[in-house]
Amino acid sequence: MTAGPPIDELHYEDAPTVDDVPGPKTRSLLEKQREIDSSAVAYPEDIPIAFEEGRGATVRDADGNTYIDMFAGIGVLNVGHANPYVLEAVHEQADKFVHTVDFPTEARLELIEKLDEIAPDGLRGENRVVFGGPTGSDAIEASIKLAKYNTGGTGLVAFRGGYHGPTSGAMSLTSNKGFKERYTPLLPDVVHAPYPYPFRQDKSPDAAVDHALEEVQAIVEDPYGGLANPAGIVVEPIQGEGGIVTPPEGFLQGLRDIADDNGLPLVFDEIQSGLGRAGEWWAADWAGVTPDVMTSAKALGGIGFPLSATIYHEDLDTWGSGDHAGTYRGHVVGMRAGTRAIEYIQEHDLLAHARDLGEYIRGRLREAPSERLGEVRGAGLFIGAEFVDEDGEPDGDFVDAVQQYCFERGVLVWTAGRHGNVLRFLPPLVLTHELAETALDVVLEAIDHADEAA
């Protein structure tokens, strides 16, 4: 097996096939979870499903119902569930050694070299990689520490609509007040600037960008801007939880210019948007803008292994020994999986596939004959469809109804956006055109059904 089977051989052939859902075994598992698991569990509240197994872009629940997966574990499973090319290396490595802290291994060094190979221009050949804890939040925490360490600053610029994780520093950068209000005070001196969102701001793309950049420049440069000692700017090149908000041309370059003018590190959070999700290795590649620091997690673990990394320009590699640490920075099984996933994407040209299939999906969504459909946006297989009510206000109930209809007919989609009114598509990059066509047939039926019920 040189680079694994083609994508059309990865999936369950019977997807989607569902009976009355949720079935009895699923209901039993959900009830047991409610009895013994944390009250913080959230996802089964939206879709009552208990997973049993998965292949490619398809999954089965405990009752044998088979679904098309258009969510991929929040963009984790870019090369699909149980990808055999990745699993081959996983089994081989797991039989040898699993945990190495940061001692050198072939698996570790191969992944670092592979990340360098796909790094943006300006970082390729000029970067260092630090592995920390297993989640994206850990990579964000590392980027905050790195920015402060190199600048001596304390303040950070983040953006409204942004999401960066649930740990203390990452939550400080996250803009959702309800998400973090019970945990304050968090990091001091974090200022949230507007993110260009033309549809919701009722501005032209150019005006939205100009407004956002003017605010960032004022925060950093105005003597009365309020941020006394800035350390860096942290931004998602495409906002994920915020609603797949895709900034117009000029925004990321404008941030790059402001950061350069003020000697600040520019940090791109590519945890959800990276590793091929947006049809390029990194969402920022669409703008041709290189950050000083870039965070990666989610799909980095290949087929769901917890692994995160912070990739940064070598000029920022001023840390001393042990200045950043983490027990799981040597998860060599996850590292082998990550390298194999990148190889699979390369060998099967999945970046081009994501671009082509994403264009098809966005086109199908725009065909929906619904006055509730406000905007379809995104890049590659990172897609959002925003819905509004008859007054043009966010309509989360409409999206919930679409999600439920799709679930009952064997298609798993999720929601996003500040008001839960964005239908979010994050399918594995191995999704075939045939599966996408079937899934979109169901989604458009669901939109039509929700329209009639509204």
Side-chain angles (χ1 to χ4, degrees), residues 238-259:
I238 297 175
Q239 287 190 339
E241 301 299 320
I244 323 299
V245 182
T246 309
E249 183 179 355
F251 174 61
L252 296 181
Q253 183 60 57
L255 292 182
R256 177 73 275 171
D257 294 341
I258 293 170

Side-chain angles (χ1 to χ4, degrees), residues 94-109:
D95 287 341
K96 292 180 178 179
F97 215 69
V98 174
H99 177 75
T100 65
V101 196
D102 60 5
F103 290 100
T105 61
E106 287 186 2
R108 180 189 190 87
L109 301 179

Side-chain angles (χ1 to χ4, degrees), residues 32-65:
K32 185 174 183 178
Q33 183 179 45
R34 283 189 288 268
E35 291 174 356
I36 67 174
D37 207 339
S38 168
S39 59
V41 166
Y43 282 90
E45 295 178 1
D46 293 320
I47 291 183
I49 189 170
F51 293 111
E52 181 74 18
E53 55 186 345
R55 287 183 58 186
T58 58
V59 293
R60 282 187 178 146
D61 69 14
D63 296 282
N65 297 298

Side-chain angles (χ1 to χ4, degrees), residues 149-297:
Y149 195 97
N150 276 275
T151 63
T154 58
L156 297 162
V157 180
F159 292 87
R160 296 170 200 162
Y163 177 84
H164 301 281
T167 54
S168 184
M171 199 169 5
S172 302
L173 298 175
T174 295
S175 66
N176 186 334
K177 293 188 287 188
F179 182 67
K180 61 187 184 180
E181 63 185 353
R182 293 181 180 271
Y183 308 107
T184 56
L186 299 168
L187 292 184
D189 285 344
V190 175
V191 179
H192 289 85
Y195 193 93
Y197 190 174
F199 176 75
R200 185 50 55 195
Q201 293 165 338
D202 196 23
K203 296 178 183 290
S204 71
D206 286 347
V209 168
D210 289 345
H211 174 61
L213 294 177
E214 286 169 5
E215 288 291 317
V216 174
Q217 189 164 16
I219 291 167
V220 173
E221 298 179 5
D222 188 332
Y224 284 79
L227 190 61
N229 193 14
I233 300 170
V234 184
V235 65
E236 294 167 276
I238 297 175
Q239 287 190 339
E241 301 299 320
I244 323 299
V245 182
T246 309
E249 183 179 355
F251 174 61
L252 296 181
Q253 183 60 57
L255 292 182
R256 177 73 275 171
D257 294 341
I258 293 170
D260 288 342
D261 290 345
N262 292 276
L264 297 176
L266 178 61
V267 181
F268 284 172
D269 179 344
E270 293 266 13
I271 290 165
Q272 189 168 146
S273 59
L275 288 164
R277 167 59 49 197
E280 297 286 353
W281 282 115
W282 312 102
D285 288 343
W286 285 106
V289 178
T290 301
D292 301 293
V293 185
M294 186 169 65
T295 59
S296 180

Side-chain angles (χ1 to χ4, degrees), residues 1 8 12 50 56 60 66 76 110 120 125 132 158 160 176-177 187 214 221-222 250 282 304 324 354 370-371 433 454:
M1 185 184 300
D8 57 2
Y12 293 123
R60 282 187 178 146
T66 309
V76 166
E110 284 174 359
R160 296 170 200 162
N176 186 334
K177 293 188 287 188
L187 292 184
E214 286 169 5
E221 298 179 5
D222 188 332
W282 312 102
H324 185 65
S370 172
E371 294 183 358
H433 193 283

